[in-house]
Amino acid sequence: MSPVAFAPVGPAAPAETVPVALSLQDLEVYLPRADDELQILHGVSFEVPKGSVVALAGESGSGKSTAALSAMRLLPWGARVTGRILADGRDVAAMSRDELRRFRAGHARIVLQDPWSSLHPMHSIGGQLVESARSADPWLSKQQARELSVEMLRRVGLPDPETRMTAYPHEMSGGQLQRVLIAMALVARPQLLLCDEPTTALDVSTQAQILELLLELNREMGLTIVIATHDLDVIAGIADRLVVMYAGRVVEEGPTAEVMAAPRHPYTWALMQTAPKHNTGTRMRTIDGRPPALDALPPGCAFADRCEFTVDVCRTSRPELVLIDTHTVHRTACTRVQSETGGATAAIDAPLEAS
């Protein structure tokens, strides 16, 4: 069985100052239950540099979608949030109703995974695009909003955009509707685009087209993108940085290429073994077991019962997210890796091998 490719930690170097588009700081989310609350996120912290693509990866229930929805304050009624959510330095949690409406209308937009449920079935595509454009800029006339909508439909690669304006959602395919949703976000000229599993309901070829489109929007328009997904193959060629989540916590974060070439957390490595393009063995693998219930998390590492590298300390000590490479800002939350590195600058003498 292939070992985990834990690479030596590079030398420390001062990080360049890059403007931050979105910052989650010690974010915790609680949802109400009959008699108490259920904690969904535990101290989630990460930054999204302006103009970058950041991927949130993990299995269903890991908390990636909750983190994305928290950034837009789109959580279910009754949710309680602690910590800070900063967008271009502004505290999203402290925004008034009017400020939040303007933030959602013009500064940040979100694309959800099910395009059919995101569009009104009785309204034309053009009508919904025009409404979206004018919600971001009320000074736009209907004609100006229509022209902008047609341009954005053309920009996202839909053929014959003028005709598409008169179509209804049921007349279009899933891939076409996903492009419509992206165009609906772009008519607001946002600075931040959040995508929650935007390719889940699409076939493989359409997935590739949507991902290529997102990359083009990022590179050509400078659009900052956060994309939540369970599929590492989806983000390998698009994301600048990767945030891996498990059981409501961040377990690893760093540059995507570095994390996928040399994962420093066993869960990241296990996820890669389930991804066809990144499996290092001779056969496809699955991650045995299931994630723990969020109301019955173990005292130690939440991944310990499913991990091939677990030692006693993993079951009794909950690891903190620790910076292990100051040059690339690579962090991990694995007690065993941290103990074997001897700190943030020491190299690992030998890789961890599966039993």
Side-chain angles (χ1 to χ4, degrees), residues 106-118:
H107 183 87
R109 287 293 181 102
I110 188 166
V111 176
L112 302 176
Q113 60 180 290
D114 184 2
W116 287 276
S117 63
S118 300

Side-chain angles (χ1 to χ4, degrees), residues 19-38:
V20 175
L22 179 67
S23 175
L24 272 57
Q25 301 175 5
D26 200 24
L27 184 67
E28 299 190 344
V29 173
Y30 303 80
L31 296 182
R33 297 194 293 185
D35 300 318
D36 58 1
E37 294 179 317
L38 176 63

Side-chain angles (χ1 to χ4, degrees), residues 22-320:
L22 179 67
S23 175
L24 272 57
Q25 301 175 5
D26 200 24
L27 184 67
E28 299 190 344
V29 173
Y30 303 80
L31 296 182
R33 297 194 293 185
D35 300 318
D36 58 1
E37 294 179 317
L38 176 63
Q39 187 169 1
I40 305 297
L41 296 186
H42 301 258
V44 171
S45 298
F46 62 86
E47 291 185 345
V48 180
K50 187 168 292 187
S52 69
V53 179
V54 172
L56 308 181
E59 296 169 282
S60 296
S62 63
K64 58 187 185 299
S65 294
T66 301
L69 292 172
S70 297
M72 299 287 290
R73 277 180 58 181
L74 289 174
L75 294 172
W77 181 87
R80 183 168 65 89
V81 179
T82 65
R84 302 189 74 192
I85 304 168
L86 302 178
D88 276 350
R90 294 184 296 165
D91 190 345
V92 177
M95 288 181 179
S96 66
R97 180 176 298 180
D98 287 342
E99 290 173 331
L100 185 60
R101 184 194 62 77
R102 289 193 295 270
F103 171 74
R104 292 173 179 166
H107 183 87
R109 287 293 181 102
I110 188 166
V111 176
L112 302 176
Q113 60 180 290
D114 184 2
W116 287 276
S117 63
S118 300
L119 293 166
H120 198 296
M122 303 301 291
H123 292 177
S124 69
I125 296 300
Q128 296 182 67
L129 283 166
V130 167
E131 180 182 6
S132 180
R134 298 187 74 193
S135 70
D137 184 359
W139 296 103
L140 281 178
S141 68
K142 287 187 177 181
Q143 181 59 32
Q144 289 172 324
R146 178 180 175 80
E147 292 172 357
L148 177 60
S149 298
V150 171
E151 174 58 29
M152 289 307 170
L153 287 179
R154 183 178 293 109
R155 183 68 186 79
V156 299
L158 273 179
D160 195 7
E162 287 280 1
T163 301
R164 298 295 182 182
M165 290 286 287
T166 62
Y168 286 81
H170 70 273
E171 299 177 293
M172 303 176 71
S173 68
Q176 291 172 333
L177 290 181
Q178 200 64 281
R179 290 174 185 269
V180 168
L181 287 184
I182 295 173
M184 190 172 293
L186 294 181
V187 293
R189 302 182 181 92
Q191 299 180 39
L192 174 65
L193 179 66
L194 296 101
C195 302
D196 183 18
E197 300 275 11
T199 62
T200 295
L202 307 178
D203 60 78
V204 175
S205 60
T206 307
Q207 282 185 5
Q209 294 170 7
I210 295 298
L211 293 173
E212 183 179 355
L213 169 62
L214 291 175
L215 186 59
E216 288 178 3
L217 295 174
N218 167 255
R219 299 297 185 253
E220 296 178 13
M221 300 175 61
L223 185 63
T224 303
I225 299 174
V226 178
I227 178 170
T229 181
H230 64 277
D231 187 351
L232 291 183
D233 282 344
V234 164
I235 51 85
I238 182 175
D240 300 304
R241 294 189 63 82
L242 176 60
V243 179
V244 182
M245 298 186 65
Y246 186 77
R249 298 178 186 274
V250 176
V251 296
E252 185 163 9
E253 180 206 355
T256 302
E258 178 179 323
V259 171
M260 299 187 77
R264 305 301 296 268
H265 195 284
Y267 178 61
T268 308
W269 177 79
L271 273 182
M272 291 178 59
Q273 302 313 297
T274 68
K277 294 180 182 178
H278 298 90
N279 182 285
T280 57
T282 58
R283 61 183 177 85
M284 289 301 300
R285 303 183 62 201
T286 60
I287 305 176
D288 294 335
R290 301 179 62 182
L294 293 178
D295 58 355
L297 294 176
C301 175
F303 188 59
D305 287 342
R306 308 173 72 193
C307 181
E308 299 183 32
F309 316 107
T310 298
V311 293
D312 290 343
V313 67
C314 300
R315 301 186 185 280
T316 58
S317 176
R318 179 168 293 159
E320 298 295 328

